[in-house]
Amino acid sequence: MSINTENGATTKQINTPRTTEQLVAEAATAHDIGFGRRSARGHGYEVRGLSHLPISRLHEGRFGRMFRLPPFVPTDERIAEIAALMKENVTGAAAELDNPEIPAGYTYLGQFIDHDLTFDPVSQLDRQNDPDALTNFRSPRFDLDCLYGRGPADDPFLYDKESGAEKFLIGRHDDEDDLPRNVQDTALIGDPRNDENIFVSQLHLTMLKFHNKVVDRVQGEPALRRGSETTFETAQRLVRWQYQWLVVHDFLKRVVGERMLRDVLDESRPYTRVDRRFYHWQREPFIPVEFSVAAYRFGHSMIRGGYKLNTLVGPLPTFLPGSVTINPLGHFGGFRVLPPFWTIEWPRFFGIKGPGSESLQQSRLIDAKLADPLADLPVEIAHDPASLIERNLRRGARLLLPSGQDVARHVGADVLSSADLGLPAGSPAPLWYYVLKEAEIQAQGRHLGEVGGRIVAEVFLGLLQADPSSYLRNEPGWKPILPSAAEGEFTMPDLIALSGHGLDRIGPPGR
């Protein structure tokens, strides 16, 4: 290990052979975030399998490594310095920080997708017997298990008995729809993380209603069934495939850029081809830590400091420090019953006609600045530290991620200079920070750059390619069949329109 001190900044670059146990022990001690000390609720929860991860490339287990490169472990002091650079320190609208290419709703679609990929449905006994998720784990897939759970037979509390368990149960109170909840207001959903904030909660509710509408369609068009499929199975397949299509052709295209998407996904031939240069596995696909702990965390920079939810509510901050129970109508934190008149108006978040469409809110630019509320999260989501910025940087250090410069050189991308990175000359950059800065420099913050875009695109399309139930694996030439603004396409606005949720103006009480 060499210790470099330059311009008052200290970093540790590990460049001599050392056992995995030594590396993990040093990183975990220096950047303690804790292992499994929180329930599965929000950013404070560390998913099973990330507690201990060998430095070599893995081809087994729930998580693994995409690259075999020397780890970079910055000191706590260096992490604090970088974290201080990453706060927006902005109050008010600040339209110059908005991304004109990506509406605000895609920020939370990205969070929903993350929860879908990392959903862990195993029992508490399995968690205890296999805490590192090496033998008993669910392969990451875009299959909406976070929505369907283990199905009507094993998770009957998710489903409406009056529909024959073909439809999801929808909660109702105060003359508005909400996630179904128990008497203590805990959401009865497949993945409890989807109640973390009002936006992802409303998105989950929209997906429940989307499935229910597809069930209606299947009941009216029996020809949609294949083989011996039941109504539920047909609806589930259609919902999954339509969702997978929009994940690739709406969400992924926006966040990695059309050029990178075409480079990895070739749809110009009779059979769709996925070009994975760096993401490979032997038996079962895994989630690379370079993706989950760095590249895919680009979405945190897209979060606005505040939003207007509907005609009546907002603008309000995304989160307030302390507990979500303090001033509950002053922020959009979740894990609670939906307050009256808080149904979202989706036209304010996606490009769809309806109330508030004239005031469409954009996501923030993808850059190395995060909205101020993320530096002091509610205790229900995270604490010690409460800063999401510090948590991300510490986790990258503890999991021994390589520097951004090393990854850029490895994939053959243009390497950002120290001046571009805004760091002392010659200083390695944490991979997460590098991905954000790269987007800022190479794409003006409108989408990811070469390194970040390559990692995200290859992992998304690789997982979809490996999924035995996906459209890409079963019917590479398949096109969406449900109603949409453009024939053969399907976007998030199309899904919302079909679900019927969030399209009405939320007016004053009594009107």
Side-chain angles (χ1 to χ4, degrees):
M1 176 183 70
S2 60
I3 299 178
N4 304 317
T5 303
E6 187 169 354
N7 297 337
T10 302
T11 60
K12 290 186 284 187
Q13 180 73 45
I14 297 176
N15 50 24
T16 57
R18 201 177 318 190
T19 68
T20 296
E21 289 77 11
Q22 286 174 314
L23 289 167
V24 172
E26 177 176 324
T29 301
H31 311 290
D32 180 36
I33 305 178
F35 299 134
R37 295 183 296 200
R38 293 178 179 83
S39 62
R41 290 159 66 94
H43 289 92
Y45 170 66
E46 184 164 283
V47 291
R48 192 173 62 106
L50 267 182
S51 293
H52 298 91
L53 194 70
I55 187 172
S56 60
R57 183 184 295 181
L58 292 178
H59 293 289
E60 296 296 329
R62 192 175 178 211
F63 290 88
R65 296 190 185 275
M66 200 168 179
F67 309 108
R68 184 164 185 163
L69 294 170
F72 166 56
V73 184
T75 63
D76 284 341
E77 292 76 18
R78 189 75 185 112
I79 285 177
E81 291 172 3
I82 295 175
L85 295 174
M86 296 183 70
K87 278 188 64 175
E88 268 187 3
N89 293 320
V90 170
T91 57
E96 69 278 5
L97 302 180
D98 288 349
N99 185 343
E101 304 294 331
I102 305 181
Y106 289 94
T107 306
Y108 298 96
L109 176 59
Q111 185 180 20
F112 180 91
I113 292 169
D114 172 67
H115 293 174
D116 186 31
L117 284 181
T118 60
F119 178 61
D120 191 12
V122 303
S123 68
Q124 185 62 34
L125 178 61
D126 286 328
R127 292 171 189 266
Q128 293 170 353
N129 291 337
D130 184 24
D132 295 325
L134 295 177
T135 60
N136 191 346
F137 59 94
R138 163 191 175 269
S139 295
R141 295 174 180 171
F142 298 100
D143 59 5
L144 293 174
D145 275 5
C146 66
L147 200 70
Y148 291 105
R150 293 169 297 176
D154 292 328
D155 286 335
F157 61 90
L158 299 177
Y159 297 88
D160 182 3
K161 283 196 266 186
E162 293 183 1
S163 71
E166 291 180 340
K167 293 184 177 182
F168 285 112
L169 194 64
I170 305 296
R172 182 88 179 161
H173 60 82
D174 299 308
D175 201 29
E176 64 184 350
D177 291 339
D178 188 10
L179 296 175
R181 298 179 184 276
N182 65 16
V183 295
Q184 295 180 330
D185 295 336
T186 299
L188 301 175
I189 54 178
D191 190 335
R193 295 174 297 172
N194 282 350
D195 195 27
E196 178 187 295
N197 59 66
I198 295 296
F199 310 110
V200 75
S201 170
Q202 288 283 288
L203 183 53
H204 192 102
L205 178 58
T206 300
M207 295 298 296
L208 297 179
K209 291 186 172 185
F210 174 56
H211 167 88
N212 290 353
K213 287 296 180 68
V214 175
V215 168
D216 291 337
R217 193 171 188 88
V218 172
Q219 290 173 341
E221 298 182 40
L224 292 173
R225 293 192 179 94
R226 293 184 175 182
S228 58
E229 283 182 339
T230 65
T231 297
F232 175 82
E233 290 167 344
T234 302
Q236 185 181 51
R237 172 176 54 81
L238 288 174
V239 167
R240 283 173 169 168
W241 285 16
Q242 300 278 154
Y243 163 74
Q244 290 166 0
W245 179 276
L246 76 83
V247 165
V248 173
H249 296 88
D250 190 14
F251 178 78
L252 188 61
K253 182 169 70 173
R254 290 175 186 271
V255 301
V256 305
E258 194 165 354
R259 180 177 177 181
M260 178 61 74
L261 180 60
R262 288 200 308 267
D263 196 38
V264 181
L265 180 68
D266 183 1
E267 296 180 296
S268 64
R269 309 179 185 190
Y271 292 95
T272 301
R273 179 174 176 270
V274 177
D275 181 15
R276 292 182 286 107
R277 302 177 191 174
F278 305 102
Y279 177 44
H280 306 288
W281 59 87
Q282 289 182 352
R283 294 181 179 85
E284 293 288 339
F286 58 88
I287 302 176
V289 287
E290 297 90 344
F291 168 86
S292 64
V293 181
Y296 198 63
R297 296 190 178 224
F298 74 88
H300 292 158
S301 75
M302 296 169 62
I303 298 173
R304 301 174 63 87
Y307 298 88
K308 188 166 178 57
L309 184 70
N310 58 36
T311 303
L312 294 179
V313 180
L316 294 175
T318 311
F319 298 113
L320 289 176
S323 172
V324 296
T325 60
I326 300 173
N327 189 17
L329 299 183
H331 62 88
F332 293 122
F335 301 127
R336 54 178 170 153
V337 67
L338 186 70
F341 305 105
W342 275 46
T343 296
I344 201 166
E345 291 175 353
W346 279 129
R348 297 179 182 273
F349 293 83
F350 290 98
I352 184 172
K353 293 182 179 179
S357 58
E358 71 284 353
S359 302
L360 176 64
Q361 299 163 103
Q362 301 295 132
S363 69
R364 286 300 202 210
L365 292 167
I366 302 174
D367 58 20
K369 297 290 185 182
L370 271 68
D372 293 358
L374 301 181
D376 197 358
L377 294 171
V379 294
E380 287 84 357
I381 295 178
H383 68 277
D384 191 25
S387 168
L388 181 59
I389 301 171
E390 288 191 44
R391 296 186 70 82
N392 286 349
L393 292 170
R394 288 190 188 189
R395 185 167 283 125
R398 182 163 60 75
L399 290 174
L400 307 170
L401 295 186
S403 71
Q405 293 96 322
D406 280 350
V407 175
R409 282 187 282 266
H410 183 78
V411 303
D414 293 333
V415 181
L416 300 185
S417 67
S418 297
D420 287 335
L421 291 167
L423 300 176
S427 294
L431 182 56
W432 176 55
Y433 178 84
Y434 186 95
V435 165
L436 296 179
K437 267 294 183 180
E438 181 190 58
E440 179 182 333
I441 298 298
Q442 294 183 351
Q444 295 75 53
R446 298 190 175 198
H447 57 74
L448 291 168
E450 294 177 89
V451 170
R454 170 66 59 180
I455 293 173
V456 171
E458 287 201 14
V459 171
F460 265 51
L461 292 165
L463 293 176
L464 197 60
Q465 185 183 37
D467 181 355
S469 65
S470 73
Y471 84 86
L472 192 58
R473 179 74 171 269
N474 284 272
E475 293 184 33
W478 178 84
K479 300 286 185 184
I481 63 172
L482 295 180
S484 60
E487 185 177 356
E489 293 293 337
F490 198 72
T491 64
M492 196 60 203
D494 293 323
L495 187 151
I496 291 170
L498 191 56
S499 78
H501 184 70
L503 298 177
D504 296 327
R505 184 178 300 276
I506 307 302
R511 293 189 183 181

